[in-house]
Amino acid sequence: MIVRRILLNGATFTALFLPFGSISAQSPVPSPGRWLMTGDFYGSRRYMPLELSGTADKLTGTAFGMTLSGSVRNGHLTLAGTNTSGDTAAVDATVGQDKLTGTIKQTSPRDAPVEFSFTAEPVPPLPTAKPQRHEFTPTVFYRQFSPFNAPVLRINPSDTVHTTTVDAGGNDEQGRKRVAGGNPETGPFYVNGAMPGDTLAVHIVRLRLNRDWAGSDDAIVESGLNSAMAVRMKGTGDSVRWRLDREHNVAYSESAGEHLKQFAVPMRPMLGCIATATGPGGAPPGTGDSGFFGGNMDFNGMTEGTTVYLPVSNPGALLYVGDGHAAMGDGEITGNALETSMDVEFSVDLIQHKRYSGIRLEDADSIMTMGLYGSLDDAFKEATSVMAEWLASDYKLTPSEIAQVLGTVAEYRVNEVADRNSGIVLRLPKAQLAAISKPPK
Amino acid sequence: MIVRRILLNGATFTALFLPFGSISAQSPVPSPGRWLMTGDFYGSRRYMPLELSGTADKLTGTAFGMTLSGSVRNGHLTLAGTNTSGDTAAVDATVGQDKLTGTIKQTSPRDAPVEFSFTAEPVPPLPTAKPQRHEFTPTVFYRQFSPFNAPVLRINPSDTVHTTTVDAGGNDEQGRKRVAGGNPETGPFYVNGAMPGDTLAVHIVRLRLNRDWAGSDDAIVESGLNSAMAVRMKGTGDSVRWRLDREHNVAYSESAGEHLKQFAVPMRPMLGCIATATGPGGAPPGTGDSGFFGGNMDFNGMTEGTTVYLPVSNPGALLYVGDGHAAMGDGEITGNALETSMDVEFSVDLIQHKRYSGIRLEDADSIMTMGLYGSLDDAFKEATSVMAEWLASDYKLTPSEIAQVLGTVAEYRVNEVADRNSGIVLRLPKAQLAAISKPPK
Amino acid sequence: MIVRRILLNGATFTALFLPFGSISAQSPVPSPGRWLMTGDFYGSRRYMPLELSGTADKLTGTAFGMTLSGSVRNGHLTLAGTNTSGDTAAVDATVGQDKLTGTIKQTSPRDAPVEFSFTAEPVPPLPTAKPQRHEFTPTVFYRQFSPFNAPVLRINPSDTVHTTTVDAGGNDEQGRKRVAGGNPETGPFYVNGAMPGDTLAVHIVRLRLNRDWAGSDDAIVESGLNSAMAVRMKGTGDSVRWRLDREHNVAYSESAGEHLKQFAVPMRPMLGCIATATGPGGAPPGTGDSGFFGGNMDFNGMTEGTTVYLPVSNPGALLYVGDGHAAMGDGEITGNALETSMDVEFSVDLIQHKRYSGIRLEDADSIMTMGLYGSLDDAFKEATSVMAEWLASDYKLTPSEIAQVLGTVAEYRVNEVADRNSGIVLRLPKAQLAAISKPPK
Amino acid sequence: MIVRRILLNGATFTALFLPFGSISAQSPVPSPGRWLMTGDFYGSRRYMPLELSGTADKLTGTAFGMTLSGSVRNGHLTLAGTNTSGDTAAVDATVGQDKLTGTIKQTSPRDAPVEFSFTAEPVPPLPTAKPQRHEFTPTVFYRQFSPFNAPVLRINPSDTVHTTTVDAGGNDEQGRKRVAGGNPETGPFYVNGAMPGDTLAVHIVRLRLNRDWAGSDDAIVESGLNSAMAVRMKGTGDSVRWRLDREHNVAYSESAGEHLKQFAVPMRPMLGCIATATGPGGAPPGTGDSGFFGGNMDFNGMTEGTTVYLPVSNPGALLYVGDGHAAMGDGEITGNALETSMDVEFSVDLIQHKRYSGIRLEDADSIMTMGLYGSLDDAFKEATSVMAEWLASDYKLTPSEIAQVLGTVAEYRVNEVADRNSGIVLRLPKAQLAAISKPPK
């Protein structure tokens, strides 16, 4: 396991929040350390991390990819800086109790200058409570991986959540329709301490069926149809209901005729969707979509024991889970797998100050990357590139070594062709990687 | 196993070759049954199967997708017919001893008429000898899957051949360069009785390493390079030599630095190339290419125990084997796998009068189809379509049933991205298919 | 021009709204004709057209792709029906003044039954006022093609709107930043009478520059980068400002060095975005996206004189326009064209009860279809398929004739590779089509 | 025009062939300058340019990408060298009259050593005769772009050839079938002085129809078929004959029913195939294929006035032309354009010591590059990359400038989807490029 539970010493963090220099009643001074600025950027919310250090007289801030210098005087903070491209930034704010309120001005040699208001708060220290297990019964289900849906539960890193998901059509474990279809999600879960720029590790602890049927259909999606196949499949497209025999862990098509009467599909419960909310500046994706945020990845390896690493784009990460499948062939080529409600237990961990170049996953046997793109060819390249980055950053491999590893032990599988993105998963066996003298992180 | 050894009763076939009607010394009459016409079609050789039946006075021939009627008179055969599209064909020939020599005229409502000479011979009966095991030491290696290379050995269906292959660079088990590189092949092997329109089943009986090194390199092929990856890999492209530790069945990069010193690749010997020669009318493909004829498929599942089904385009099928790999990651993403010479034992079987819509494979656990196309997306569709045809023809599944099977148990893996075609293999586990009530053939 | 201004006779429509049978004070009866039902489908809004006919005693409704029968009794409407697949629908409603309020129940043999509340109103007759020209100064700009943004102006079919758009970065004709970037749009414009199921024709009447600079950049997007190109372009990515010389209608790069000092780009103002809002049940796309709704199509043929046909998914259609370019090479390969604010005049027409299979466009010389997909290959197929549908439906061509027309006079151009969808435009010259004996519609 | 007729001064070249040092009867000495070595590389022919300089005592050779040093003693030449990668080469030869005969040994740190025999001859000086116009009547037609077909005519750079081509089906201007179909070619033409490493410019001087009909068909190729289109086109695939009205320069479908009776296709004669033979080491491509050698490019801009630049891979270049089309829609989407015989006049020029990174074309108005790949997406990248190389090498543009030019004036058109490669043509108008201060070559 690459993810380690990060139980931080609260004392250290408390210390960080002692204000700079001496405290005077009239003029508060912002504490050093990590802040999050929230800007109102011409109508869009924008999160901007800020790292403060130095003294009130000689304040230094790191933000916008540059270093800013300034001071705090009479409750008023000013910071300004320039980068090598000639871009400038100036922050002007009133200092309140653990709060900044002011404006940001930015110029660049070629673009029009911008000026917008912001507020900032110090990033709270990571929680230090003992890991908890939460029982959560969902009552609302969302159909966008949106940052604007209210969190349904606040949890700490290392906590575990036991909950349920409705099926892709919105039907729960009782078969009751709870919400319109399209992969309605349980969540969002707010992870205390998660901040834009961090990575969230989501670990599927336990994933079990909780009803005895699944819905599916019998068409083949466009990505599976060359002309011969298209002509062959003309006229299909009916719903197919599957009986889930949980005792023997196999599924049967309920409408099977003579040929498929004995056709028993081994069940391997998986989650089609795991996602963090996308940032507040853009259009929240629907729950049928996928991307850097995870989402509807439809990978049949997303089962009990799998961990997926997703970028944090909002305070609290805002984690969604949904779209359980009792079983799914590679590619979800019928558009719907065996769609069913699910009993889910997951835990989360936080990797601070780190954002990967794409989607990483791992299970007991392997590390994996996933490419999600408009074609399998581009997805293949993406999966390869993200793995190369992983091997370079974590295993310190040179480009030549990366090629030698991929050339000999890579496994590439199609995870998804049913949705707007097609997906390729690149898997490397941990057994092989164990032999690589990986330096300590 | 779908392939059954077809040991035919010779007597039946001898009987077939009794001539029609009464035999007169002056005018031989062609025997009924299967003939192969070989035309000289405006400079190109063309094979055309002909099925003869009836009597000398009232002769019937099936050829060119139509039924022809005619007679044999005074040693002269005439046959003529028309199809529903208005195409006509007329055969005019002198009858010799087991031989026809004459001309074929064809017209169509829209194209210019054609007229060309041909000769024909009866297709010999399938050999009935007891299966043999041939020891064959190659002395010549070919670099095109050509119908014009002289057969190196004639074998019967059910026979086994034990031979060797040089590596992709032309180096043999002694490390001697025997031929220019580019996947030089052992063969072609002439399979007695194989005729255009048949399918050849090639079974890899045994596949073993026969030297202790392999050549490879450390670049990533274009199909694996998005822009980030391309920039990362800039400057790579060196040859890499691998040590093959046959005792422990692992390979080590000989130029490994600190990181990969312990990196041991499990060896799984495979053949990159198995092919039947393409037909005599077109340009023979180079041995780096792949297609309906098999060829450089570079599938790491092409190992001991695997059977591949290939179309017969020439009398004798003309089978080629080559391009052994000690190990290969999916996709052969470095362009060269661990390229090495190989000790090969294969057997062949013949499926007469049957040509599949694409490449089928099988091993002990699964049936597989392979799509080979200019993009992974098209290869994916091809693999799916060929499997659908297989499920429809052999398992009698309806389109709806095909979708249900693929949607639940299909496994799609990338086999090849290094060459002009990219390849996807679709695998279905026999364990699942066993439950399908497959009708007798 | 295929689009004709539809000036309907108001009297006819008024007549349609006379209620069925005799009117009694106690129990209103719904008028025959077109209604729009708005359902609250498990939390999502759903529009469902309903066509009513018959009498109060014997009422017939067409909805959900089936025919429903029922009656109105004591102010209470009931309708029920079944289709050939065994799906059923039942409508149960209280009849108010031009209003229905009730519930809909639907069942299908395989899916869970659904039941949800709805209200319905008669679709108003098409406006009959004389076409108007509206002057509209935008004060708000939207960044999603959302059905939930309040209309900024209500217009009638045949009306013309004169307005402005900000550039892709949100800067207006004065260079003031008005909104965050990402193709902020002017609109949505509510087109009176437009109903889900209709098609909106948007005609660019006049399109002129209104400032003397444009922003762009000097990177090449991922879709334009093979590995050689990726290595070549490493390190580019700066903003480039262009001077728009409106007098001579050419643009110059302001940062041009020696080589490009005289490089004058002919200006051809175009709109990157024209869209109707997507339906209320899904995630509204961001203004960088494209699809069946049009959107960020980035086609440099979207200039003065071009008409685009877009599906209506909401009452009023909700039309957005934005993302003006002073000039753009095919594909928008630098990601940003010459992005500038624009002076826009457009008119709209309505094609009722008709929805095309994809995006159609036309200008003085040609009819065009656009394929938008995750790869150029899929976009190519889409553009071809939509044009085939056009030729079949409007020109009554057979498949063979369609092939003959496309095979001889089709022009395929890449319109877009910079965004998530790639686009291909298929153009057929009207000069050729004029010779096709097109039947009257 | 970039191509300039290179009329070289013969005297200069004669001078070059004066042998080194003093001439002695017993031991000839090889002349300095350009030689071509022809190796028998383990069964494959291999051409290797060699540049000789220095004196007999201190001879220097440039070959294999390295510099070799040695001498000539007693009629025996020895040269040896090593490059920075540790590769070595040693040449050992007997010197004859304008001839070397000997062996080449090469080693590399990682590959097995190779040793093979060769002969070498000095490259003759470029012909200096006055340009000629050749009348050539073909009697043989080839179906591979092979280096092994005997040249049908020897011409000089700057010469013009007037000849004819048969149609793709092998039918000549009289409608007589001369050869099996599949784009049989006229040629190969041997261009005196053309050597591997050069580029051949082929200029279509005149291209005229020479009969009054063309063959085509009414199917749509796989690349044009999404599933809707595939179902629509089911059952098509008939041949269609077109009448070519040369007086009015339009074509009519002979089987047109009511709809297409007046459908007149403007004729624009083009050549589908122009190619240089591929090198002798590989499998010669069939005449339906395309690649770095040109071949079956099927670009409807390959008309009178167009020049295409192709690499020389064999002495004499071995130029092929064929596959005339009376008219063709972009993409050749029916698989066959209006296929007809053609009256062709072309001239050739030679660009010595220069090989481009891909296919360049030009006409009066534009420079163009063509990408040919297994998908349109890859072809798009290739066309872009080759143009970038052109702009960098000939116009000296920086990466940033290249992006600015492409982003504003690039035109991308689909030329071909009917064959194994799909093609994209990137066109830049010369009118714009004229403003770029292009440095003297």
Side-chain angles (χ1 to χ4, degrees), chain C residues 141-159:
Chain C
F141 304 92
Y142 290 108
R143 295 167 66 250
Q144 295 184 41
F145 299 119
S146 170
F148 305 118
N149 295 324
V152 293
L153 183 70
R154 287 176 177 261
I155 61 175
N156 288 337
S158 301
D159 281 4

Side-chain angles (χ1 to χ4, degrees), chain A residues 88-370:
Chain A
T88 73
V91 179
D92 206 312
T94 301
V95 181
Q97 189 60 38
D98 276 349
K99 181 146 200 163
L100 302 175
T101 311
T103 58
I104 294 169
K105 292 186 199 177
Q106 290 175 298
T107 69
S108 97
R110 301 181 202 77
D111 294 322
V114 294
E115 176 171 353
F116 56 98
S117 63
F118 81 102
T119 62
E121 295 186 3
V123 173
L126 278 193
T128 59
K130 223 181 106 192
Q132 264 191 283
R133 185 173 184 278
H134 304 265
E135 285 290 337
F136 176 73
T137 304
T139 54
V140 61
F141 304 91
Y142 289 108
R143 296 166 67 250
Q144 294 184 42
F145 299 118
S146 169
F148 304 118
N149 295 324
V152 293
L153 184 71
R154 287 176 177 261
I155 61 176
N156 287 338
S158 300
D159 282 4
T160 299
V161 175
H162 179 221
T163 189
T164 57
T165 54
V166 294
D167 69 21
N171 307 299
D172 67 13
E173 62 274 21
Q174 312 296 335
R176 287 172 311 187
K177 190 171 189 80
R178 302 285 295 275
V179 55
N183 301 340
E185 305 286 314
T186 297
F189 299 95
Y190 188 103
V191 180
N192 294 317
M195 282 292 142
D198 295 345
T199 289
L200 189 72
V202 185
H203 182 60
I204 305 176
V205 175
R206 197 168 175 278
L207 194 59
R208 299 298 160 92
L209 300 171
N210 59 8
R211 74 181 193 212
D212 60 4
W213 65 275
S216 191
D217 54 52
D218 73 350
I220 297 285
V221 296
E222 187 74 21
S223 303
L225 299 173
N226 64 9
S227 65
M229 192 73 184
V231 168
R232 176 186 300 279
M233 297 308 293
K234 199 191 155 191
T236 58
D238 278 334
S239 295
V240 176
R241 195 173 156 120
W242 291 72
R243 180 160 55 83
L244 308 183
D245 176 345
R246 284 184 274 173
E247 191 184 343
H248 302 96
N249 201 39
V250 287
Y252 296 92
S253 170
E254 290 192 0
S255 54
E258 191 58 36
H259 294 123
L260 296 191
K261 231 170 36 185
Q262 309 292 334
F263 182 68
V265 173
M267 294 199 288
R268 196 179 174 223
M270 55 163 279
L271 284 181
C273 295
I274 300 181
T276 47
T278 54
T287 46
D289 209 350
S290 63
F292 69 91
F293 53 90
N296 186 25
M297 296 176 279
D298 283 325
F299 170 39
N300 56 19
M302 204 94 82
T303 56
E304 213 171 278
T306 300
T307 299
V308 57
Y309 299 87
L310 298 171
V312 177
S313 303
N314 295 277
L318 302 176
L319 173 67
Y320 294 90
V321 295
D323 189 27
H325 301 160
M328 188 187 97
D330 286 351
E332 200 185 26
I333 197 169
T334 40
N336 285 302
L338 303 199
E339 308 286 343
T340 190
S341 60
M342 203 70 77
D343 187 276
V344 181
E345 192 171 329
F346 66 85
S347 66
V348 296
D349 279 294
L350 201 58
I351 303 169
Q352 289 192 300
H353 302 282
K354 204 165 243 181
R355 184 157 182 165
Y356 302 135
S357 66
I359 295 176
R360 298 183 178 186
L361 307 99
E362 81 177 308
D363 61 20
D365 301 326
S366 52
I367 68 170
M368 294 170 275
T369 55
M370 185 185 291

